[in-house]
Amino acid sequence: MAGGSAAVPSTELLEWPKKDERRMLHAVYRVGDLDRTIKFYTECFGMKLLRQRDIPEEKYSNAFLGFGPEESHFVFELTYNYGVSSYDIGTGFGHFAIATPDIYKMVEDIRAKGGNVTREPGPVKGGSTVIALVKDPDGYTFELIQRASTPDPLCQVMLRVGDLDRSVKFYEKALGMKLVKKVDRPEYKYAMAMMGYAEEHEATVLELAYNYGVTEYTKGNAYAQIAIGTDDVYKSGEVVEHVIQELGGNVTRKPGPIPGINTKIVSFIDPDGWKTNYRWSDRQPLHSSYIHQLALEM
């Protein structure tokens, strides 16, 4: 929580997020039928199944899907817990977004395969960007965005926050993200900010949405966290602890190594309770059983 006394950080430490080589790695969330979700994502969205693992002794399975290798693309880590067929998504999670050069064809393909189209393609309110909305079998919303080209079609994660200015400051200071775009629509009583490590047409970004007058949302138990790569989890963790003193949040796992594999992590929640973990590894994907453990630590 914010408050209390803390040592004044050095200028070098505060500059660390600007020097660090960071990238959004993956989003972790839970599904009720792993095979069903893999089929939907590969057939309707065109994703690739990158790897899959079943761990019966711990009663769960997981799978990684995306539009390219984990080393260069943002991907999904899906977790299926034995015997759990549904989860509460809550009111805070917004959507994932996929960019496509032909949104109309993609929507028709999804509809033909039995997908649930909840918004037909058309311009956004007060703008010209063409979007559509669909829901996957677990009820997660996907925003489809008409875009001529993009290095990674999996282009956005949208989360709702209770104080947009506070959240922008947190992600700038604690995570070293840039404010890519900010929009305020008083006529529709909402505002949003795009945060990331590059422009939104160049890399995956985090969309923070604020609805006028709404300061709290339910988190549910479906969506878990985002993982971000860092060159030094100890420096990154120290920066996070300092920012938490100012803006709120909590460190849920101190920086340190994962036993048995060459990976180090630090986990924390932002002032709204959204979880992130930094990780450093020897350029290998994070061991799937440990990602499952991190997700359970919410």
Side-chain angles (χ1 to χ4, degrees), residues 255-298:
I258 299 172
I261 58 176
N262 193 20
T263 299
K264 300 172 183 178
I265 66 115
V266 56
S267 299
F268 55 95
I269 57 174
D270 74 2
D272 289 279
W274 296 116
K275 187 175 181 181
T276 299
N277 76 67
Y278 279 127
R279 77 170 179 93
W280 174 91
S281 74
D282 54 358
R283 301 304 178 188
Q284 296 300 316
L286 185 58
H287 196 272
S288 59
S289 63
Y290 200 78
I291 291 175
H292 177 70
Q293 181 182 336
L294 292 176
L296 292 177
E297 291 178 359
M298 290 185 64

Side-chain angles (χ1 to χ4, degrees), residues 181-293:
K181 181 172 70 175
K182 191 174 184 181
V183 176
D184 188 13
R185 299 289 186 188
E187 66 273 28
Y188 301 117
K189 298 184 178 180
Y190 86 93
M192 56 78 72
M194 295 287 191
M195 310 294 299
Y197 298 109
E199 297 299 315
E200 60 179 316
H201 61 279
E202 298 174 345
T204 306
V205 297
L206 179 64
E207 178 182 348
L208 304 174
Y210 169 68
N211 294 301
Y212 285 17
V214 184
T215 59
E216 294 183 1
Y217 295 92
T218 61
K219 301 299 183 296
N221 61 356
Y223 172 83
Q225 64 190 352
I226 288 176
I228 294 175
T230 178
D231 287 337
D232 190 323
V233 298
Y234 298 99
K235 284 185 179 180
S236 294
E238 193 174 349
V239 172
V240 168
E241 288 195 12
H242 168 70
V243 176
I244 283 172
Q245 289 292 319
E246 176 190 357
L247 297 171
N250 188 36
V251 174
T252 58
R253 189 180 188 92
K254 295 286 187 179
I258 299 172
I261 58 176
N262 193 20
T263 299
K264 300 172 183 178
I265 66 115
V266 56
S267 299
F268 55 95
I269 57 174
D270 74 2
D272 289 279
W274 296 116
K275 187 175 181 181
T276 299
N277 76 67
Y278 279 127
R279 77 170 179 93
W280 174 91
S281 74
D282 54 358
R283 301 304 178 188
Q284 296 300 316
L286 185 58
H287 196 272
S288 59
S289 63
Y290 200 78
I291 291 175
H292 177 70
Q293 181 182 336

Side-chain angles (χ1 to χ4, degrees), residues 30-34 36-37 79-81 83-87 138:
R30 303 172 181 93
V31 299
D33 184 326
L34 192 58
R36 178 186 65 184
T37 303
T79 296
Y80 167 69
N81 294 299
V84 184
S85 60
S86 65
Y87 292 93
D138 289 278

Side-chain angles (χ1 to χ4, degrees), residues 51-67:
R51 55 190 172 109
Q52 186 173 358
R53 178 180 167 90
D54 185 36
I55 305 90
E57 63 273 19
E58 297 183 30
K59 298 183 179 181
Y60 81 94
S61 303
N62 62 11
F64 286 74
L65 293 97
F67 291 96

Side-chain angles (χ1 to χ4, degrees), residues 95 103-104 119-133 143-146 156 181 183 185 187-188 190 192 194 207:
H95 63 251
I103 192 171
Y104 297 95
R119 183 193 191 277
E120 296 295 331
V124 296
K125 290 181 179 180
S128 60
T129 303
V130 177
I131 69 164
L133 298 176
E143 179 180 272
L144 309 181
I145 303 174
Q146 178 81 19
Q156 290 177 13
K181 181 172 70 175
V183 176
R185 299 289 186 188
E187 66 273 28
Y188 301 117
Y190 86 93
M192 56 78 72
M194 295 287 191
E207 178 182 348

Side-chain angles (χ1 to χ4, degrees), residues 34-77:
L34 192 58
D35 290 337
R36 178 186 65 184
T37 303
I38 291 171
K39 179 179 175 66
F40 187 86
Y41 287 7
T42 55
E43 293 184 359
C44 293
F45 295 147
M47 292 185 192
K48 299 174 183 177
L49 175 61
L50 303 172
R51 55 190 172 109
Q52 186 173 358
R53 178 180 167 90
D54 185 36
I55 305 90
E57 63 273 19
E58 297 183 30
K59 298 183 179 181
Y60 81 94
S61 303
N62 62 11
F64 286 74
L65 293 97
F67 291 96
E70 294 174 61
E71 292 76 13
S72 58
H73 288 67
F74 186 73
V75 304
F76 288 151
E77 192 267 331

Side-chain angles (χ1 to χ4, degrees), residues 146-183:
Q146 178 81 19
R147 188 176 292 175
S149 63
T150 183
D152 191 347
L154 192 49
C155 60
Q156 290 177 13
V157 177
M158 192 272 258
L159 303 174
R160 297 183 177 94
V161 298
D163 184 328
L164 188 59
D165 290 338
R166 179 186 63 184
S167 294
V168 168
K169 288 179 183 178
F170 184 89
Y171 283 89
E172 285 178 331
K173 293 183 175 184
L175 287 92
M177 290 185 175
K178 301 174 184 178
L179 176 59
V180 175
K181 181 172 70 175
K182 191 174 184 181
V183 176

